[in-house]
């Protein structure tokens, strides 16, 4: 049941409300019928989703190129391939995930066994962003389907071509009483958030995440927030600088830097700062040529508003490579800036684009202190071959997830939970974590009835108290 952006005018607001209310009512009725509960149903829907993605693959490539100038290899590697792998992983492990966990209960509740059952949450709203508009809409859906839920997807209107294809894909694959897409702008999102969902899964900025959390609080709705932040990369003298340069450049400039876990700034030890910058400059040339504008492997900024925000961060006096911009083409060259201060505009907020500031640090303690000055980041990357340095960062710095001697590739392991902490988000997903995110862990104690000791019942005396003290130690 697509709702077009044109339906968000004041004249049509009541019609949008009516259509959303009807959809919500039908989805809740379908969920309450129990149709989504059997494992065979869930596995069939995961298979249907995989088949639909394969069928719509050409249209998805075309839409991603229109919205973000993504080439086919990048689109498959960062969007479609990971999605298909996640759905396949869920199919393969669903029987085990659904099996209730059980164990013998403690002596206090003797003759009992404790159980945890995974119960689907019910009606889910999934709000996805524009930067990876296929993956970040459909990977959460994999978790919702695997856990036995119904769901409404709200793709980002900032990537309109992909939003349209997603709506077509879902409509051709599922009944809208089960899975539906609602398209539209921020007003449509507000109307959706006003409804009493059982769970809201939001991926986007911290600023909008706060709005989502407030809306969810009105109905005491469970909420999962996948947000962002300034993700640091720390490079120490023991690092392999050639490897570090390649992996930082790749993680930063894939999708033209529009990645929530991209390295946002680099803290380089003073002794290797200049060598690292030189090697990163060489990596940019190897990846994208001397004129990245001509490279088929380099994307574009999603729209003019984001282009102007990013262009304002570039200080020409501090640019060592890149800095070229062309708003008519939404092009910003892969850009590295040095001699950056912590109060420069590029350090004021998450960059979310192809501009990378590099700052000198005196030692690891200096780097840790600078990271601690900011809210908890979604990701952190450390390049070192010193296990002591690794342990110090992992034990002292709070962040959502990350890599040692790599960037962004922790998303490639479907068994690793992905999520933020503090201002970078709450909750996690991917693999089994997705199943748990879209499930309620229902605790049940099952007790035999052939014996009913009087110990727990009044009247109480000193003898009973003595026994209780022993049982509860």
């Amino acid at each position: 049941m697509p709702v077009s952006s044109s339906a968000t005018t004041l004249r049509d607001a009541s019609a949008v409300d009516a259509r959303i209310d009807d959809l919500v009512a039908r989805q809740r009725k379908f969920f309450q019928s129990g149709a989504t509960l059997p494992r065979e149903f869930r596995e069939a829907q995961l298979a249907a989703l995989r088949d639909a993605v394969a069928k719509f693959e050409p249209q998805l490539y075309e839409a991603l190129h229109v919205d973000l100038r993504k080439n086919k290899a990048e689109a498959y590697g960062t969007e479609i391939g990971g999605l298909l792998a996640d759905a396949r992983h869920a199919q393969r492990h669903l029987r085990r995930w659904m099996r209730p966990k059980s164990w013998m209960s403690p002596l206090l509740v003797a003759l009992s066994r404790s159980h945890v059952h995974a119960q689907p949450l019910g009606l889910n709203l999934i709000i996805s962003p524009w930067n990876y508009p296929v993956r970040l809409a459909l990977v959460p859906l994999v978790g919702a389907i695997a856990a036995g839920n119904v769901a409404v997807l709200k793709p980002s209107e900032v990537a309109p071509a992909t939003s349209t294809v997603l709506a077509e894909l879902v409509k051709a694959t599922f009944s809208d009483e089960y899975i539906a897409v609602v398209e539209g702008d921020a007003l449509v999102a507000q109307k959706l958030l006003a409804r009493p969902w059982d769970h809201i899964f939001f991926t986007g900025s911290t600023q909008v995440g706060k709005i989502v959390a407030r809306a969810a609080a009105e109905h005491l709705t469970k909420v999962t927030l996948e947000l962002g932040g300034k993700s640091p990369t720390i490079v120490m003298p023991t690092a392999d600088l050639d490897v570090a340069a390649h992996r930082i450049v790749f993680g930063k400039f894939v999708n033209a830097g529009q990645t929530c876990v991209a390295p946002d700034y680099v803290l380089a030890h003073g002794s290797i700062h200049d060598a690292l910058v030189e090697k990163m400059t060489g990596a940019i040339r190897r990846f994208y040529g001397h004129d990245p504008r001509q490279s088929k492997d380099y994307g574009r900024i999603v729209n003019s508003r984001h282009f102007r925000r990013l262009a304002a961060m570039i200080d020409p006096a501090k640019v060592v490579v890149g800095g070229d911009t062309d708003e008519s083409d939404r092009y910003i060259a892969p850009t590295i800036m040095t001699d950056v201060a912590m109060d420069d505009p590029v350090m004021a907020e998450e960059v979310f684009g192809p501009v990378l500031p590099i700052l000198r640090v005196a030692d690891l303690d200096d780097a840790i202190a600078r990271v601690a000055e900011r809210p908890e980041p979604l990701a952190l990357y450390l390049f070192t071959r010193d296990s002591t340095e690794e342990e110090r960062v992992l034990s002292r710095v709070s962040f959502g997830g990350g890599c040692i001697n790599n960037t962004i590739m922790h998303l490639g392991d479907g068994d690793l939970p992905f999520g933020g902490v503090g201002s970078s988000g709450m909750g996690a997903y991917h693999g089994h974590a997705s199943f748990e995110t879209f499930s309620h862990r229902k605790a049940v104690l099952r007790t035999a009835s052939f014996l009913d000791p009087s110990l727990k019942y009044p009247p109480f005396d000193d003898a009973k108290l003595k026994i209780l003290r022993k049982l509860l130690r």
Side-chain angles (χ1 to χ4, degrees), residues 341-357:
M342 292 294 282
D343 58 356
D344 282 358
V346 74
M347 295 298 294
E349 60 178 333
E350 182 180 8
V351 175
F352 216 73
V355 182
L356 182 61

Side-chain angles (χ1 to χ4, degrees), residues 124-139:
N124 294 263
L125 174 63
I126 299 172
I127 303 177
S128 57
W130 51 263
N131 58 322
Y132 291 91
V134 178
R135 180 185 182 119
L136 297 182
L138 298 185
V139 168

Side-chain angles (χ1 to χ4, degrees), residues 50-331:
R50 288 174 59 196
D51 291 343
V53 171
K55 178 182 177 181
F56 278 81
E57 201 168 324
Q59 295 97 308
L60 291 170
Y61 288 141
E62 182 179 354
L64 289 167
H65 189 266
V66 169
D67 287 331
L68 291 157
R69 200 76 65 86
K70 290 192 183 187
N71 67 74
K72 189 177 294 186
E74 181 180 324
Y76 187 85
T78 63
E79 301 246 27
I80 294 170
L83 162 62
L84 292 173
D86 205 67
R88 185 167 53 249
H89 183 79
Q91 276 184 273
R92 193 172 294 158
H93 296 282
L94 187 57
R95 181 189 294 271
R96 177 170 58 86
W97 293 349
M98 290 180 65
R99 189 179 300 131
K101 310 296 186 295
S102 65
W103 58 91
M104 291 300 297
S105 306
L107 279 175
L108 180 65
V109 285
L111 304 178
S112 300
R113 193 167 183 85
S114 300
H115 304 262
V116 174
H117 297 259
Q119 178 181 8
L121 295 173
L123 189 57
N124 294 263
L125 174 63
I126 299 172
I127 303 177
S128 57
W130 51 263
N131 58 322
Y132 291 91
V134 178
R135 180 185 182 119
L136 297 182
L138 298 185
V139 168
L141 180 62
V142 167
I145 291 173
N149 296 274
V150 298
V152 171
L153 276 65
K154 164 60 178 73
S156 173
E157 73 281 5
V158 179
T162 309
S163 177
T164 297
V165 176
L166 286 174
E168 294 171 354
L169 183 156
V170 169
K171 185 176 182 179
T173 309
F174 306 108
S175 65
D176 63 1
E177 64 184 358
Y178 174 48
I179 308 293
V181 169
V182 172
E183 294 185 90
D185 60 12
L187 181 57
V188 170
Q190 291 170 14
K191 290 180 177 296
L192 287 166
L193 287 170
R195 270 61 185 181
W197 305 90
D198 297 312
H199 177 218
I200 299 172
F201 189 105
F202 170 78
T203 306
S205 69
T206 300
Q207 179 183 2
V208 179
K210 293 177 181 179
I211 296 172
V212 172
R214 283 194 290 268
E218 287 296 316
H219 303 285
L220 295 180
T221 295
K222 178 186 176 184
V223 62
T224 301
L225 301 176
E226 299 295 341
L227 308 176
K230 294 188 74 64
S231 297
T233 297
I234 301 171
V235 185
M236 299 307 292
T238 61
D240 184 317
L241 295 188
D242 290 305
V243 171
H246 280 88
R247 293 176 181 176
I248 295 169
V249 167
F250 170 74
K252 176 60 179 181
F253 297 113
V254 66
N255 199 33
Q258 298 164 118
T259 303
C260 60
V261 292
D264 196 88
Y265 62 103
V266 175
L267 298 171
H269 191 279
S271 66
I272 52 90
H273 173 279
D274 293 349
L276 178 65
V277 171
E278 182 180 352
K279 290 178 182 296
M280 289 176 64
T281 300
I284 291 173
R285 299 285 186 253
R286 282 189 290 275
F287 290 176
Y288 306 114
H290 287 278
D291 184 6
R293 186 197 308 261
Q294 306 303 321
S295 171
K296 64 179 180 58
D297 299 316
Y298 187 68
R300 295 297 186 269
I301 308 307
V302 69
N303 59 26
S304 292
R305 180 172 70 86
H306 284 282
F307 173 93
R308 289 190 288 269
R309 179 185 66 83
L310 290 164
M313 294 181 179
I314 299 174
D315 181 347
K318 298 182 178 183
V319 170
V320 294
V321 62
D324 303 327
T325 65
D326 181 355
E327 185 170 355
S328 66
D329 191 31
R330 294 181 283 131
Y331 170 77

Side-chain angles (χ1 to χ4, degrees), residues 404-455:
I404 308 298
N405 296 319
N406 213 335
T407 66
I408 78 172
M409 296 308 292
H410 56 302
L411 276 69
D413 185 343
D415 284 320
L416 272 179
F418 175 76
V421 59
S423 62
S424 60
M426 61 178 70
Y429 72 123
H430 289 179
H432 188 224
S434 288
F435 180 83
E436 291 197 322
T437 287
F438 286 91
S439 301
H440 165 62
R441 290 165 56 84
K442 182 164 58 179
V444 177
L445 184 76
R446 181 177 288 111
T447 307
S449 56
F450 65 84
L451 187 65
D452 192 27
S454 63
L455 175 65

Side-chain angles (χ1 to χ4, degrees), residues 1 14-27 191 195-196:
M1 188 204 70
S14 60
V16 175
D17 282 325
R19 295 175 73 182
I20 291 174
D21 286 340
D22 175 67
L23 176 60
V24 167
R26 288 189 295 111
Q27 285 212 339
K191 290 180 177 296
R195 270 61 185 181

